Amino acid sequence: MLILVTNDDGVYSPGLRALADAMATLGDAVIVAPDRNRSAVGHALTLEQPLRAEEIEPGIFAVDGTPTDCVNLGIHGLMMQRPDLVVSGINSGSNMGDDITYSGTVSAALEASLMGIPAIAVSLNAKIFSEADLLTTTRFIIVLAQQVVKKGLPADTFLNVNVPSGPCHGVKVTRQGKRRYGQAVIVNEDPRGRKYYWIGGSSVGFEDIPGTDCCAVSRGFISVTPLHTNLTSDSFCETLKNWPVLCDGGVL
Amino acid sequence: MLILVTNDDGVYSPGLRALADAMATLGDAVIVAPDRNRSAVGHALTLEQPLRAEEIEPGIFAVDGTPTDCVNLGIHGLMMQRPDLVVSGINSGSNMGDDITYSGTVSAALEASLMGIPAIAVSLNAKIFSEADLLTTTRFIIVLAQQVVKKGLPADTFLNVNVPSGPCHGVKVTRQGKRRYGQAVIVNEDPRGRKYYWIGGSSVGFEDIPGTDCCAVSRGFISVTPLHTNLTSDSFCETLKNWPVLCDGGVL
């Protein structure tokens, strides 16, 4: 089995190496990851300029691009054959609720899913990882990855895993929750008196909705949220068809 | 009515100005857009560095960030009050199928939707806009925007509009389709003999699935796809709950 391992914290992140070591127990693990921290780049793709990939150790490639770039380069340029699985992480800090739309970690898994390859994004709800937390995470991901490869995932569907820090009480299948954010933009002046803006908006909590990722992780459970790459709101399609401007394909 | 207008092609794009002029017939339109082309940046958010916003004309701000940054700065830093509507576009080229996950245009509307503000992304399926195409697009968007403000949109739902170039036969409510791509990564050597990679993957067609955005636009219809910000695959949640490793919250 061939596994592509990537992340958005960069190729030197300890979470990435721990994940690759875990995957190496299942097959051949190749790392293709950004050469530096590229958190919050979302599903950005580098189209306007070339990319470089340096093999810094055997089977470990550092790319001067985004996590989405890494998945592209790994699969279409660097790896000898198409991987059976793509795993992204272990991210430093959780990726839950709306955060997943900004997350490079999650977007890398999304990219693999768009290519028809089963994918898992993994995040740990801690900035610095304890050995115990890492062990919980890697043990779980090994078992989950085995099941994903054995059973497959539906088309355009991938898994987003978040692991709590500290005692772990089990696993929950969850929905994407909703976070609450603090002051969104800080306005200040630079040393030359020119105004600048800094996007703040750190999470100050979450909406405590049972069944969501935020809720599960806050109670000490690993959350597994199946995500899909098709964003269509089917439920609203029918309503929209009754809007006057959209009725029955009417000519403008 | 106060309307925030943004895009990913940059503040000097003619599509942006045409959209702002159209919105100015409905209320006060403020432009907050990237200072240059930021296509394919997805939902990237600039967290690690400050941003600048220059008011290059009254009510027109150029920001050295992504479309998502622009929506944040517009709403939380530059505009006097919260807008009633956010429109993003008119993008040069369509945003259909999987492309929407990379699109800065669509991500700007997604960002507004996450903030609870109704939002529309608009793209025109042409690289250079004819006057007739622009007229079709702006006439439709004015009517659609009026309806969105009047009727509202469900929580976490926004609209993705794609307009065909040439004769327009009407409007269809659609689902996100699926594109097909050409050679994904080009490998070459720079003038000093060092290898570089360039992400290619131009669209070479689409899966002709009735009811999708790609299908409607190719047949000369405007497509309106309702998208939501919650990516959970509800249909797969139930299946996943029966996987051994995920059964019933079992302790690891």
Side-chain angles (χ1 to χ4, degrees), chain A residues 147 151 173, chain B residues 237-247:
Chain A
Q147 298 232 345
K151 292 170 184 284
V173 175
Chain B
C237 274
E238 294 311 310
T239 308
L240 207 52
K241 284 177 183 167
N242 294 321
W243 283 23
V245 68
L246 298 171
C247 269

Side-chain angles (χ1 to χ4, degrees), chain A residues 96-99 102 178-184 200-205:
Chain A
M96 307 188 292
D98 302 332
D99 288 358
Y102 309 100
K178 193 89 187 163
R179 283 201 162 168
R180 280 190 260 110
Y181 296 91
Q183 191 182 351
S202 297
S203 176
V204 292

Side-chain angles (χ1 to χ4, degrees), chain B residues 42-234:
Chain B
H43 201 212
L45 188 64
T46 304
L47 297 176
E48 295 292 321
Q49 53 199 49
L51 294 164
R52 304 287 188 169
E54 191 186 349
E55 190 165 11
I56 57 173
E57 294 173 38
I60 303 182
F61 296 89
V63 174
D64 61 344
T66 68
T68 300
D69 294 335
C70 290
V71 172
N72 270 280
L73 252 60
I75 291 167
H76 297 295
L78 300 170
M79 296 173 82
M80 291 301 121
Q81 60 189 74
R82 189 175 161 90
D84 304 288
L85 178 69
V86 173
V87 290
S88 176
I90 301 168
N91 192 62
S92 167
S94 62
N95 277 304
M96 307 188 292
D98 302 332
D99 288 358
I100 66 170
T101 62
Y102 309 100
S103 163
T105 307
V106 173
S107 293
L110 183 155
E111 184 68 7
S113 183
L114 288 175
M115 294 177 185
I117 299 170
I120 307 172
V122 196
S123 306
L124 177 49
N125 192 26
K127 283 295 160 196
I128 294 175
F129 298 167
S130 71
E131 274 193 41
D133 285 348
L134 268 180
L135 193 63
T136 302
T137 308
T138 52
R139 275 177 58 195
F140 177 70
I141 287 299
I142 288 171
V143 179
L144 184 66
Q146 283 173 314
Q147 298 232 346
V148 163
V149 171
K150 187 175 157 200
K151 292 171 183 283
L153 293 172
D156 300 328
T157 304
F158 61 102
L159 301 181
N160 182 37
V161 175
N162 281 279
V163 179
S165 180
C168 178
H169 305 309
V171 187
K172 299 275 188 198
V173 175
T174 52
R175 301 191 81 246
Q176 180 187 334
K178 194 90 185 162
R179 284 203 161 166
R180 281 189 259 109
Y181 297 91
Q183 191 183 351
V185 173
I186 311 293
V187 186
N188 212 335
E189 282 187 2
D190 73 11
R192 274 158 294 283
R194 274 187 69 210
K195 199 183 272 188
Y196 67 78
Y197 301 82
W198 210 309
I199 293 179
S202 297
S203 176
V204 292
F206 58 90
E207 294 178 18
D208 198 17
I209 308 162
T212 60
D213 46 11
C214 305
C215 186
V217 169
S218 74
R219 284 165 175 71
F221 288 88
I222 296 173
S223 75
V224 181
T225 311
L227 300 177
H228 54 187
T229 63
N230 193 311
L231 312 187
T232 310
S233 170
D234 288 313

